[in-house]
């Protein structure tokens, strides 16, 4: 079973994945793509490399047993052919602080905050047709998020999309 942990940069995907990695196999999409030569040209606007999703899918298919639970960590992981997509959500004000800490410039921070407010990754995930769950991580510890993820593995319909609405943040940011 392949489970995508996705969400806007800064929501806490890698923090949660780090805990999951003590119990399960976890693949970080960016590292995996780099190690397996799946990166395409550098996108100067996004300041990140594009990933060839078709090649990524083929590569993962050959390396993952369907009986094994494997998590994918990355903001592109919902584009992979997986069994469950889990979208982590976080209040834009917290994302702002975290991305500032990471050294992102203001434009890049605003682009990510806009994507979070507009539910971009959630919409992409739901549109993939793969069963999608959504967790509002704003007031949860990483361990609490992992507990919810383990509940979702047992019952993917427990945390359906629709629990998050950041639309009242638009006026503040834009
Ligand atoms: P992502 O992988 O989604 O970009 P990270 O996991 O790197 O996000 O988290 C960004 C920052 O937020 C890190 O400094 C991390 O310590 C902090 N963080 C992540 N999740 C939580 C949480 N649930 N509670 C408190 N801090 C968190
Ligand atoms: Mg990360």
């Amino acid at each position: 079973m392949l489970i995508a942990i996705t969400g806007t940069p800064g929501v806490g995907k890698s923090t949660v994945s780090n805990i999951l990695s003590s119990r399960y196999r976890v693949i970080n999409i960016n590292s995996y793509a780099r190690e397996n030569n799946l990166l395409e040209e550098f996108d100067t606007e996004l300041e990140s490399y594009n990933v060839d999703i078709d090649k990524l899918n083929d590569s993962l298919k050959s390396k993952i047993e369907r009986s094994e639970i494997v998590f994918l960590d990355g903001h592109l992981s919902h584009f992979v052919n997986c069994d469950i997509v889990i979208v982590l959500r976080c209040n834009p004000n917290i994302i702002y602080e975290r991305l500032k800490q990471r050294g992102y410039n203001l434009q890049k921070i605003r682009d990510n905050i806009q994507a979070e407010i507009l539910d971009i990754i959630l919409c992409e995930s739901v549109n993939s047709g793969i069963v999608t769950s959504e967790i509002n991580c704003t007031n949860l510890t990483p361990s609490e998020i992992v507990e919810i993820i383990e509940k979702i593995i047992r019952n993917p319909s427990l945390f359906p999309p629709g629990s998050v609405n950041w639309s009242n943040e638009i006026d503040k940011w834009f």
Side-chain angles (χ1 to χ4, degrees), residues 55-74:
K55 283 192 198 158
L56 177 64
N57 265 316
D58 287 345
S59 170
L60 286 169
K61 212 184 291 172
S62 65
K63 290 193 182 136
I64 288 165
E65 302 268 347
R66 282 282 148 174
S67 57
E68 181 188 17
I69 292 179
V70 180
F71 288 92
L72 296 177
D73 164 22

Side-chain angles (χ1 to χ4, degrees), residues 122-156:
L122 182 75
C123 292
E124 287 171 353
S125 301
V126 169
N127 286 342
S128 73
I130 301 166
V131 55
T132 297
S133 297
E134 179 182 46
I135 306 173
N136 182 356
C137 299
T138 307
N139 297 309
L140 298 174
T141 64
S143 318
E144 287 170 334
I145 299 163
V146 168
E147 277 176 36
I148 292 177
I149 289 172
E150 289 186 317
K151 283 185 188 153
I152 291 171
I153 301 176
R154 292 192 289 273
N155 182 354

Side-chain angles (χ1 to χ4, degrees), residues 5-170:
I5 305 291
T6 189
T8 307
V11 291
K13 301 177 295 294
S14 297
T15 303
V16 163
S17 297
N18 190 38
I19 300 181
L20 288 167
S21 68
S22 64
R23 303 176 212 170
Y24 307 94
R25 188 165 154 214
V26 177
I27 296 173
N28 178 286
I29 296 279
N30 287 335
S31 318
Y32 185 89
R34 203 176 316 115
E35 286 158 15
N36 292 276
N37 292 319
L38 305 172
L39 292 180
E40 293 186 313
E41 76 283 3
F42 190 75
D43 185 326
T44 46
E45 209 154 293
L46 291 176
E47 289 183 57
S48 64
Y49 284 95
N50 292 323
V51 174
D52 186 324
I53 298 291
D54 289 338
K55 283 192 198 158
L56 177 64
N57 265 316
D58 287 345
S59 170
L60 286 169
K61 212 184 291 172
S62 65
K63 290 193 182 136
I64 288 165
E65 302 268 347
R66 282 282 148 174
S67 57
E68 181 188 17
I69 292 179
V70 180
F71 288 92
L72 296 177
D73 164 22
H75 71 286
L76 298 174
S77 62
H78 56 287
F79 289 118
V80 171
N81 288 330
C82 49
D83 301 289
I84 302 175
V85 175
I86 301 178
V87 185
L88 304 187
R89 306 300 303 272
C90 186
N91 184 288
N93 300 288
I94 297 179
I95 292 181
Y96 172 79
E97 292 302 330
R98 291 179 182 170
L99 296 184
K100 199 170 68 166
Q101 195 98 44
R102 201 178 273 184
Y104 282 14
N105 66 47
L106 190 58
Q107 186 56 49
K108 197 169 176 184
I109 296 175
R110 283 169 60 87
D111 287 349
N112 282 303
I113 284 177
Q114 177 170 282
E116 178 63 16
I117 292 174
L118 295 178
D119 303 328
I120 301 290
I121 291 189
L122 182 75
C123 292
E124 287 171 353
S125 301
V126 169
N127 286 342
S128 73
I130 301 166
V131 55
T132 297
S133 297
E134 179 182 46
I135 306 173
N136 182 356
C137 299
T138 307
N139 297 309
L140 298 174
T141 64
S143 318
E144 287 170 334
I145 299 163
V146 168
E147 277 176 36
I148 292 177
I149 289 172
E150 289 186 317
K151 283 185 188 153
I152 291 171
I153 301 176
R154 292 192 289 273
N155 182 354
S157 59
L158 280 179
F159 290 82
S163 63
V164 166
N165 180 357
W166 304 135
S167 58
N168 57 358
E169 295 286 333
I170 291 176

